Amino acid sequence: MSIGVFDSGVGGLTVHHKLVERFPAADFIYLADQANTPYGGRVGEEIVDLTRAGCERLFDAGCDLVVLACNTAAGIALRRLQQTWLPDWRWRHGRQVNILGIIVPTIEAATGLPWEHEAERRGEKVEKLDVLGVFSTPATAASRVYEIEIDKRRQDVAVFSEACPTLAGLIEGGAGPEELARVVEGHVRALTARIGRPPDRAILGCTHYEIVAGMFRAALPPGAPLIHQPDATADALARYLERHPEYDAGRSGQRLFLTTGRPGAQHSLVETFWGGPLNFEPA
Ligand code: DGL
């Protein structure tokens, strides 16, 4: 089988890149839903429907395991799909397919705790010592998934989200570095003003933003750690495959790139990040 990697567009390539590095012999199929990108300004039901369609396309292509390399899809749709659609799909097709998200590994990396760990609440007030900024799409920020799930595990961490409504679309469209840096700086400034000081650490909570991680690093205080979703997801996938040897990740090193949008080469911002030409085939 192949491992499927799904995103609304090119952002998930940041995760895919790390997965390929970590599992060089495994077979991967990447699917970008560029006909419908960006997801971040869409309503929940649309995000669920589009994510379902993307997973189904990857299952049909032979992937038994799909990594949702998209915070918006994982945060809004994953639980819904796992509860209802996935069991039904398995039953109808007789295949033990599964979908893994990106938010659980990111929260594990941010809290330093396994997902199963929930903080004991003793009722006393816990001082918030660690200020964590999360930059994400409006849909992810509105879901408050990072605030809710981190607070369950680490009450000493104060989470502040900054919704960046245009950033994923600008990256997807290949905007120039000056425009991108201006937008990134504006969001770091806005979050800093809202908190009253810069965050101590930050999560780039949209996989597209990893492509401009250098711009976030330059705008944030020197030394403020960035929590990298690609690393956290690769670690989580390695642990998952170890626990589930029934998923065979393949051995031929296949790399297939599919898009629901316009097939062909990607723009230079993406290819620079990728380190070479990237040719997408029609999904
Ligand atoms: N890359 C995606 C994420 O991680 C989605 C960006 C978008 O489509 O708005 O949230």
Side-chain angles (χ1 to χ4, degrees):
M1 72 148 200
S2 302
I3 297 176
V5 181
F6 177 74
D7 183 37
S8 64
V10 293
L13 288 171
T14 58
V15 175
H16 182 268
H17 195 261
K18 198 41 94 182
L19 298 182
V20 164
E21 204 178 278
R22 189 70 71 87
F23 308 97
D27 299 331
F28 286 97
I29 304 179
Y30 184 89
L31 173 61
D33 189 12
Q34 290 177 308
N36 298 298
T37 195
Y39 282 10
R42 293 180 179 275
V43 296
E45 279 313 305
E46 277 181 319
I47 297 169
V48 173
D49 288 347
L50 293 170
T51 306
R52 184 194 300 118
C55 291
E56 184 137 49
R57 176 69 188 86
L58 285 166
F59 293 160
D60 288 346
C63 303
D64 283 345
L65 202 55
V66 170
V67 177
L68 288 185
C70 175
N71 291 262
T72 312
I76 314 301
L78 182 54
R79 193 166 295 176
R80 276 272 302 280
L81 298 182
Q82 279 172 334
Q83 279 169 349
T84 52
W85 177 72
L86 203 52
D88 181 61
W89 200 97
R90 287 180 187 134
W91 182 79
R92 278 189 288 118
H93 295 83
R95 275 170 62 195
Q96 266 312 307
V97 293
N98 207 2
I99 309 172
L100 305 180
I102 185 169
I103 289 179
V104 169
T106 310
I107 288 175
E108 289 183 326
T111 58
L113 294 168
W115 181 250
E116 300 70 38
H117 179 100
E118 286 206 8
E120 238 180 85
R121 288 179 185 266
R122 292 201 198 85
E124 75 260 31
K125 207 165 159 355
V126 178
E127 204 185 337
K128 305 273 187 199
L129 300 172
D130 183 5
V131 176
L132 178 66
V134 182
F135 297 91
S136 74
T137 66
T140 302
S143 76
R144 297 184 55 78
V145 61
Y146 282 106
E147 284 87 337
I148 294 167
E149 297 298 342
I150 290 175
D151 186 65
K152 278 187 200 162
R153 295 165 175 83
R154 287 275 308 269
Q155 285 153 40
D156 58 330
V157 180
V159 182
F160 291 87
S161 282
E162 168 73 7
C164 311
T166 59
L167 189 53
L170 287 172
I171 295 168
E172 192 66 41
E178 275 153 37
E179 185 176 8
L180 291 168
R182 210 171 36 246
V183 173
V184 167
E185 282 158 20
H187 285 300
V188 171
R189 247 196 329 271
L191 182 69
T192 303
R194 196 143 44 80
I195 303 173
R197 69 172 177 94
D200 299 316
R201 306 185 286 151
I203 293 175
L204 301 186
C206 167
T207 51
H208 281 74
Y209 304 171
E210 193 67 31
I211 294 175
V212 293
M215 295 179 186
F216 275 99
R217 199 164 291 114
L220 286 161
L226 286 186
I227 292 152
H228 290 285
Q229 297 197 302
D231 291 313
T233 310
D235 292 344
L237 181 62
R239 290 195 299 271
Y240 186 85
L241 290 173
E242 225 174 85
R243 285 199 311 275
H244 294 276
E246 68 274 22
Y247 290 103
D248 167 10
R251 259 160 226 97
S252 60
Q254 173 194 237
R255 315 281 177 251
L256 182 61
F257 298 91
L258 303 175
T259 179
T260 59
R262 211 180 42 201
Q266 293 296 312
H267 54 69
S268 60
L269 179 65
V270 175
E271 293 197 337
T272 306
F273 156 79
W274 186 259
L278 255 179
N279 210 34
F280 276 68
E281 296 175 26

